Amino acid sequence: MDKYYELDNESIITYIKEKMDFFEVDAKLESREIGDGNLNLVFRVSDPGSGKSIIAKQALPYVRASGGDWPLDIGRGEIEKRILDIEYDLTGGEVPKVYFYDAVMCCMVMEDLSDYIIMRYGLLKYEKYPQFPEQISDFIVKSLLLTSDVVMEHKQKKAYVKDFINPELCEITEQLVYTEPFNVGARNRLEDAIVDFHKENIVADQELALEVAKLKFDFMNNAQALLHGDLHTGSIFVNKESTKVIDPEFAFYGPIAYDLACVFANLIMNYISAFYSLSDEVVREDYCGYLRQTITDTVDLTKKKFYNQWDGVVTDEMAQVPGFKEYYIEDIFVNAAGIVGCEMVRRTVGFAHVVDLDNIEDDQKRYAAKTNNLLLAKEYIKYRASIVCGQDYIEQLDKIIK
Ligand code: SR1
Ligand code: MG
């Protein structure tokens, strides 16, 4: 078959048998479509006899979450395959191993991480992941610092910039993160109760709009490193021992701060979710305490590793001038706080929400969680120059979430 068609639970089995010899020829394969993201089909194909399984991910020519009327370039699968290979090598396997990519079917077949859980869902079950800050900071610093101009040979880096031009997916972020949530209408999705609050506190705030505009144009113009581009807790698989990053289809050369911010913001929104959802005070104290420590450690370990690894890997002569390291790294953290705020706003009023907030059952508590999430986000955006370590995030959090 040399023409693209949409796979389903039946055709994926024939497809996998044709394309790879991972399973025994007579294996009775089973498939389950497990994709819960906004864009793609994801199948888990398994052989109950041998216990072996793989994941197949097919890019759809439209945004799945839109029901089909929002067309999207299926070439993004190729970008995702390439960056997964690069990240696998740079991080020593902190992403799944890709077995093959089929450019006609835009289908990637990779290692099944069946003993892991999507972090967002693990956190919503109030699970704890003690290795996460150490491991995600490792992924962030290796995948970003090592693909930046301070380390890479500059012509090679520019070739990467060209290869990873990803205009349609970048446009989604430019619109859904940096534009629409700060305005009325477009593809925003707001529950009725917060429509006025959004208008009064977000849309009407022109100082806020100016800061978001600065961050937006930094996103579009600062080709600093090869980003994952969508590093929220739904793009991270975890268990108690290990962390694996998935889904880098939004990859492109952009500001390092963007990847950090997606991680930080989604941990913060999970904190807000736990704070308003857990009614038993002892349980709430315990779990929110764990999340506070996780947020602090993730921010601080990431910064520490940027500093610690810099001298050993930097190659550019001028990047070694005393003071440049501090200038470069501190700037990343200032911008990260601003983007944290943008991510928090867009996950509350934009097209793509997080279940962490949407699933708070009690109406009053959900309203408090969402409106306070918006107020906290504003602080992170406006006062980002002074939010540069873990404790700074927590201090802002404690002023509003109480
Ligand atoms: C139309 S895509 C909406 C969102 O889903 C992805 O996971 C990205 O976060 C994107 O912004
Ligand atoms: Mg995704």
Side-chain angles (χ1 to χ4, degrees):
M1 185 74 72
D2 58 359
K3 207 163 162 266
Y4 178 93
Y5 60 93
E6 260 179 50
L7 290 159
D8 60 27
N9 277 323
E10 271 176 39
S11 55
I12 185 71
I13 290 176
T14 317
Y15 176 82
I16 290 294
K17 285 192 162 175
E18 262 173 34
K19 291 282 176 186
M20 66 193 302
D21 55 10
F22 182 84
F23 297 105
E24 298 298 321
V25 246
D26 55 354
K28 300 247 174 306
L29 299 187
E30 293 178 357
S31 166
R32 203 154 53 90
E33 206 282 305
I34 55 169
D36 69 342
N38 292 313
L39 303 180
N40 308 293
L41 292 171
V42 183
F43 301 92
R44 180 163 189 266
V45 180
S46 59
D47 170 19
S50 65
K52 289 167 80 178
S53 57
I54 52 101
I55 294 292
K57 177 173 176 180
Q58 185 181 38
L60 290 168
Y62 53 85
V63 172
R64 182 177 183 171
S66 76
D69 57 0
W70 180 349
L72 197 61
D73 176 17
I74 42 178
R76 63 187 186 275
E78 189 110 38
I79 287 189
E80 180 167 355
K81 189 303 186 224
R82 263 203 85 189
I83 187 175
L84 278 172
D85 286 346
I86 292 170
E87 288 176 344
Y88 192 92
D89 291 343
L90 290 178
T91 66
E94 290 173 350
V95 297
K97 181 86 192 145
V98 178
Y99 298 140
F100 75 84
Y101 176 70
D102 173 350
V104 174
M105 290 292 283
C106 302
C107 182
M108 186 164 56
V109 177
M110 63 193 134
E111 176 187 2
D112 182 17
L113 300 169
S114 52
D115 46 350
Y116 291 70
I117 183 171
I118 292 282
M119 186 174 194
R120 188 181 306 287
Y121 300 127
L123 293 177
L124 286 170
K125 290 181 184 172
Y126 308 115
E127 291 290 345
K128 296 178 181 174
Y129 300 104
Q131 305 301 329
F132 175 75
E134 194 66 64
Q135 292 169 346
I136 197 68
S137 56
D138 198 66
F139 173 85
I140 288 173
V141 176
K142 285 181 178 151
S143 66
L144 298 176
L145 191 55
L146 300 183
T147 57
S148 75
D149 267 314
V150 296
V151 174
M152 280 187 82
E153 195 279 317
H154 296 178
K155 288 196 290 303
Q156 176 62 43
K157 182 257 181 176
K158 286 181 176 64
Y160 266 22
V161 173
K162 188 172 153 210
D163 291 352
F164 286 97
I165 291 286
N166 196 354
E168 285 200 21
L169 283 279
C170 284
E171 188 182 33
I172 288 178
T173 305
E174 289 154 21
Q175 288 303 118
L176 295 193
V177 178
Y178 290 103
T179 306
E180 294 175 11
F182 299 91
N183 293 285
V184 170
R187 287 162 289 203
N188 287 340
R189 294 194 299 116
L190 292 87
E191 54 181 291
D192 291 347
I194 65 167
V195 168
D196 290 339
F197 187 92
H198 170 244
K199 271 190 206 145
E200 285 157 22
N201 291 278
I202 301 291
V203 180
D205 188 337
Q206 284 306 295
E207 278 176 32
L208 181 71
L210 174 59
E211 297 312 312
V212 173
K214 291 176 192 170
L215 292 163
K216 177 178 178 178
F217 280 81
D218 187 66
F219 177 83
M220 292 191 289
N221 292 291
N222 184 2
Q224 204 172 17
L226 183 53
L227 305 190
H228 175 284
D230 198 25
L231 195 51
H232 55 84
T233 45
S235 298
I236 300 172
F237 264 119
V238 280
N239 59 32
K240 300 276 181 204
E241 290 83 37
S242 172
T243 302
K244 299 254 186 188
V245 170
I246 60 165
D247 267 6
E249 65 210 312
F250 282 76
F252 82 113
Y253 259 83
I256 287 177
Y258 192 81
D259 277 358
L260 279 61
C262 283
V263 177
F264 303 164
N266 281 273
L267 291 175
I268 291 166
M269 287 187 283
N270 188 264
Y271 176 92
I272 295 173
S273 172
F275 184 90
Y276 287 104
S277 301
L278 288 169
S279 42
D280 182 310
E281 218 172 289
V282 177
V283 177
R284 187 176 65 218
E285 277 288 298
D286 176 67
Y287 198 69
C288 286
Y290 156 73
L291 287 172
R292 293 159 79 85
Q293 197 58 51
T294 300
I295 294 164
T296 309
D297 290 349
T298 303
V299 175
D300 293 345
L301 276 170
T302 303
K303 187 184 261 196
K304 187 170 148 202
K305 288 181 187 178
F306 270 115
Y307 273 103
N308 287 351
Q309 293 181 25
W310 182 278
D311 291 340
V313 296
V314 68
T315 58
D316 183 281
E317 202 179 338
M318 296 306 283
Q320 297 172 55
V321 168
F324 183 75
K325 171 170 62 179
E326 291 74 14
Y327 160 81
Y328 189 96
I329 296 172
E330 294 304 320
D331 182 62
I332 291 171
F333 281 80
V334 167
N335 281 336
I339 305 166
V340 163
C342 296
E343 172 73 1
M344 289 168 67
V345 173
R346 76 99 162 206
R347 294 297 190 183
T348 318
V349 300
F351 174 79
H353 288 200
V354 284
V355 289
D356 312 47
L357 300 177
D358 277 354
N359 283 8
I360 300 173
E361 278 175 23
D362 181 281
D363 288 346
Q364 287 310 314
K365 288 184 176 164
R366 192 176 62 258
Y367 176 80
K370 289 190 173 185
T371 51
N372 285 334
N373 187 58
L374 292 176
L375 293 178
L376 180 57
K378 280 175 60 151
E379 300 296 301
Y380 289 145
I381 295 170
K382 285 184 164 178
Y383 306 111
R384 62 190 181 282
S386 59
I387 300 167
V388 291
C389 70
Q391 188 53 31
D392 296 336
Y393 281 93
I394 300 298
E395 274 170 24
Q396 295 300 325
L397 190 77
D398 284 341
K399 282 188 206 154
I400 293 174
I401 311 300
K402 55 188 183 195

